[in-house]
Amino acid sequence: MEICPPVKSLLPIDWLPLESIIEILRISLPFEVEDYSPYSGQSPNSGFARSYFRRLWDLRRVCKTWLSVIDGTPSFWPAVSSQVPRQINTTVLLRSSGRPLAVYYTDPDPSIKPNDPELLELMTPARTSWKALAIKSSETMYFHNWLNAPAPNVEKIHLDHSYGPGIMANPPVLLGGKTENVREVSIRRVALRWSVDMFSSLRVLNLRGPGLGIEMDHILSFLSQSPSLEILCLTNFADHAWTPDTTRHPIALPQLQTLEIRAFTGR
């Protein structure tokens, strides 16, 4: 009787087809950073970037094959954040190969080290790659620094002034006036230099006062130019915002799914 040695029934994990490895890696990550929605209620940089890249680095250590796959797949490098070390952000710029990026900035947190408080310096030469921009800060100057120059391919905007109304004597011009590609807007207590043709074709409009410095005429214009709007949230507006001429803005929102309007004062 001949005794045969046992045969392994499972292939080593690094022998799997490339497509299978990529899918395993994708479902192993916390979530798709690119799918971040400004309306989600999640504050920019609320820990997701650290969790995402911590897991990504762990996966890179599994074996040389996984390291090669991750480093060679631009979609695994979708975002930069001020709450991760500069080394990670520079690696993202290298590995993403020019793909659109989500950019997240928040004020430096002494409890989180290392971080990248000078993220804007790194990202300024790559402004054309910005796809989503989320800023949460208690300092008005940071909004000026990030917003005044064009970033023509941004589709999602999330701005949050952390403490008190974001009253600004000289509000910034959002993305240097290049806002034609913006489709999702979430702004909380940040004043901007508004114009009636600032936004069109929006899917999400989420404005939360006070301190926005916006007039109702602006809002109605955004709505009339956004028939595909799906989410509308208007909260905490001051009295001066509510003096519109509604006859100038025919509005039809057949795709509206979520409507939140509360804490209004006005005429």
Side-chain angles (χ1 to χ4, degrees):
M1 180 177 181
E2 183 179 359
I3 300 177
C4 297
V7 178
K8 292 183 178 179
S9 59
L10 297 177
L11 291 174
I13 197 167
D14 60 344
W15 287 15
L16 292 171
L18 177 61
E19 296 79 7
S20 299
I21 294 176
I22 291 176
E23 186 60 25
I24 290 171
L25 294 171
R26 202 175 301 281
I27 64 177
S28 299
L29 292 166
F31 51 82
E32 289 287 349
V33 184
E34 288 181 297
D35 292 338
Y36 169 81
S37 171
Y39 189 77
S40 66
Q42 183 178 22
S43 297
N45 290 293
S46 60
F48 89 89
R50 296 190 304 279
S51 298
Y52 180 90
F53 288 113
R54 187 182 300 117
R55 181 74 61 82
L56 191 69
W57 249 251
D58 288 342
L59 293 171
R60 292 171 81 236
R61 297 187 185 102
V62 170
C63 62
K64 290 182 179 180
T65 298
W66 284 30
L67 173 65
S68 176
V69 170
I70 291 172
D71 287 357
T73 306
S75 61
F76 287 131
W77 305 91
V80 294
S81 168
S82 62
Q83 287 198 344
V84 300
R86 170 59 64 96
Q87 174 192 357
I88 291 179
N89 289 326
T90 54
T91 302
V92 169
L93 285 180
L94 175 65
R95 302 297 183 193
S96 61
S97 301
R99 281 174 55 91
L101 295 173
V103 181
Y104 298 91
Y105 176 85
T106 192
D107 291 337
D109 185 343
S111 67
I112 299 173
K113 293 183 179 181
N115 54 29
D116 193 358
E118 303 301 325
L119 180 63
L120 178 58
E121 177 187 22
L122 175 68
M123 293 304 299
T124 293
R127 293 184 78 98
T128 57
S129 70
W130 300 7
K131 180 180 180 180
L133 177 62
I135 305 171
K136 183 176 183 179
S137 178
S138 60
E139 300 291 339
T140 57
M141 68 174 182
Y142 288 124
F143 293 101
H144 277 276
N145 295 343
W146 278 95
L147 298 178
N148 271 327
N153 297 315
V154 168
E155 298 178 6
K156 300 180 182 182
I157 290 283
H158 183 130
L159 307 176
D160 187 346
H161 195 284
S162 305
Y163 301 107
I167 299 172
M168 301 183 190
N170 183 28
V173 177
L174 183 62
L175 303 179
K178 301 293 185 180
T179 56
E180 58 269 15
N181 289 321
V182 175
R183 297 294 176 262
E184 298 189 13
V185 175
S186 180
I187 300 176
R188 178 174 175 258
R189 299 189 297 207
V190 177
L192 299 172
R193 198 173 301 176
W194 304 96
S195 64
V196 293
D197 58 352
M198 190 172 184
F199 298 123
S200 61
S201 303
L202 292 176
R203 293 189 300 269
V204 175
L205 180 60
N206 178 13
L207 301 176
R208 298 176 182 268
L212 297 177
I214 191 171
E215 300 292 335
M216 188 60 177
D217 199 46
H218 298 129
I219 298 173
L220 293 179
S221 179
F222 304 158
L223 297 180
S224 68
Q225 297 177 77
S226 301
S228 299
L229 194 74
E230 299 174 7
I231 296 172
L232 174 60
C233 175
L234 303 173
T235 305
N236 294 331
F237 279 87
D239 183 80
H240 72 273
W242 303 102
T243 56
D245 178 2
T246 54
T247 62
R248 294 173 50 200
H249 304 284
I251 296 173
L253 304 174
Q255 299 186 42
L256 191 67
Q257 300 175 15
T258 301
L259 175 63
E260 179 186 353
I261 299 179
R262 57 189 176 88
F264 274 25
T265 60
R267 292 184 282 267

